[in-house]
Amino acid sequence: MHGETSLSSVKAVRSAFFDKLAAKGTDAKAIGDELFDLAELLDGNRQLERSLTDPARSADDKVKLITTILDGHVDPLTLEVAQAVASRRWSRPEHIADAVEDVAIDALLANADARGVTAQVSFQLADLHSALLNLPVVRQRLSDPHAEPEQRVKFLDTLLKGQPLDQITLDLAEHATRNLRNRRYLSTINWVIDMITEHRGRSMVTVTSAVPLKDEQIVRIKNAYRRKLNRNVYVNCVVDPRVLGGMRIQVGSEVTDNTVAAQLQNLKRAVA
C-alpha cells in the first residue's frame, strides 16, 4: 500500500481494533473469516470500492452504504470494522480492500494469541515458504490467476495433507491462494510472516544461504540485527543452492546480497 493518506488510515483502523479483537479471544477467527470475505467482495466490485472511497461523498454517506450491505449478515464487530474503513479517506480505491485484509489477519492472530500459538504459526509459514522456494511448478499452480480459487485451495490442501499445521496457519496459507489480489503466492506468505513478526514486536530477518547455517552463525546474525534495529528479531533461514555461497539478508525492503550468485551477476553486468 502506497500513499500517506492510506497509510495513515490503515494504521488508525488497525490500532482502533487491536484491543477489541484481542478481547474476542478465540472467537476472533470468525471476524477474520468475514473480513476476508469482505475484502474479496470489494476486490470483485470496483464500483463499490469507488463508492466507498469517493472523496466527494461524506463519511456518513459511505458508512450508510456499507451498513446497508452488511447489517444483519455479519458479526457486529465485523460491521464496525467495515464502517471504520468506509469512514476513512484512501489514496486509491483498492486500498480499502487492503485495509480490510490487514484487519482480517489481525483477527486471526488474535485467535492465535489467545491459544498461545502465534510463534508456532509464524514458524510453520516460514517452513512452508522454504519448502516451496525450490518448487517453481507448485508455486505457479498456487499463483495461477486462470484457475478457479477453490481449485488452487484444493491443490494446496492436497500438498499439506497430513501436516500437523495449526488451523490459523492453514487459513492464512489458503487465503494466500484463494484471493491472489494480483500477487504471487510466496510473496504473500512472506508478507504475512512479516505481519506476524511485527505483531509480536519483532522484526523478521530472512537469511538465504546455499547450505544450512550453523547455530553460532544464526546467533551472530540475531545479535547484530537486534542491536541495529533496537528490537527483538526472528531469523528465518532459507536454504537455496542456487545462491552458490555467501548469504542474502533481507529485513523488510532492505536487502544485503553477498551471495556468489549475485557477485557473478554483477561481474557479468560489468563485463557487458
Side-chain angles (χ1 to χ4, degrees):
M1 184 185 297
H2 301 284
E4 288 299 322
T5 299
S6 289
L7 291 174
S8 175
S9 291
V10 72
K11 182 178 180 180
V13 171
R14 291 180 67 192
S15 296
F17 288 95
F18 184 87
D19 289 339
K20 292 182 179 182
L21 291 171
K24 278 282 188 176
T26 56
D27 291 337
K29 180 184 180 303
I31 308 300
D33 292 341
E34 289 181 344
L35 289 172
F36 276 143
D37 289 342
L38 176 57
E40 191 168 357
L41 171 66
L42 292 169
D43 283 333
N45 193 327
R46 297 303 182 189
Q47 182 177 353
L48 177 59
E49 274 190 337
R50 288 192 294 270
S51 296
L52 292 172
T53 57
D54 185 353
R57 299 183 69 168
S58 70
D60 287 343
D61 188 30
K62 290 182 282 189
V63 168
K64 288 178 182 178
L65 173 60
I66 198 65
T67 301
T68 299
I69 296 171
L70 298 180
D71 194 19
H73 300 288
V74 296
D75 187 277
L77 185 54
T78 303
L79 177 59
E80 192 177 340
V81 173
Q83 291 169 334
V85 296
S87 69
R88 306 291 304 191
R89 298 180 68 86
W90 303 94
S91 304
R92 300 180 62 178
E94 60 267 28
H95 289 174
I96 191 171
D98 294 341
V100 171
E101 183 184 43
D102 285 356
V103 183
I105 293 174
D106 288 339
L108 294 192
L109 295 182
N111 171 286
D113 287 344
R115 295 183 293 112
V117 298
T118 310
Q120 178 183 336
V121 169
S122 178
F123 299 151
Q124 290 176 348
L125 288 173
D127 288 344
L128 174 61
H129 183 281
S130 297
L132 293 177
L133 190 65
N134 295 313
L135 298 174
V137 175
V138 174
R139 297 200 312 270
Q140 176 59 38
R141 288 193 63 177
L142 293 172
S143 303
D144 184 3
H146 302 295
E148 290 296 323
E150 292 310 315
Q151 288 182 328
R152 296 193 298 266
V153 172
K154 184 177 180 180
F155 175 65
L156 175 68
D157 288 345
T158 300
L159 290 175
L160 300 180
K161 186 177 181 179
Q163 297 298 315
L165 299 178
D166 187 85
Q167 185 59 51
I168 296 302
T169 303
L170 187 59
D171 286 350
L172 291 170
E174 288 181 346
H175 171 70
T177 193
R178 176 179 285 109
N179 194 1
L180 294 174
R181 312 197 68 232
N182 297 316
R183 300 175 305 208
R184 308 299 293 175
Y185 187 78
L186 273 193
S187 64
T188 303
I189 293 298
N190 194 58
W191 167 67
V192 172
I193 293 171
D194 285 342
M195 285 196 67
I196 297 174
T197 53
E198 177 191 353
H199 176 84
R200 298 177 62 214
R202 299 186 176 192
S203 290
M204 169 72 77
V205 179
T206 299
V207 183
T208 304
S209 56
V211 297
L213 298 180
K214 297 179 180 179
D215 289 344
E216 54 266 30
Q217 290 176 297
I218 297 174
V219 170
R220 284 201 299 270
I221 293 171
K222 182 180 293 184
N223 290 339
Y225 276 88
R226 184 170 57 220
R227 290 192 298 268
K228 179 178 179 180
L229 302 173
N230 194 31
R231 67 187 305 182
N232 289 328
V233 301
Y234 165 64
V235 178
N236 174 33
C237 298
V238 176
V239 177
D240 184 356
R242 293 175 299 178
V243 305
L244 303 178
M247 289 186 289
R248 179 181 186 272
I249 301 178
Q250 179 172 354
V251 183
S253 59
E254 178 185 331
V255 177
T256 303
D257 197 337
N258 292 318
T259 61
V260 173
Q263 293 175 28
L264 289 174
Q265 189 62 37
N266 290 337
L267 179 61
K268 288 180 182 179
R269 283 198 293 265
V271 171

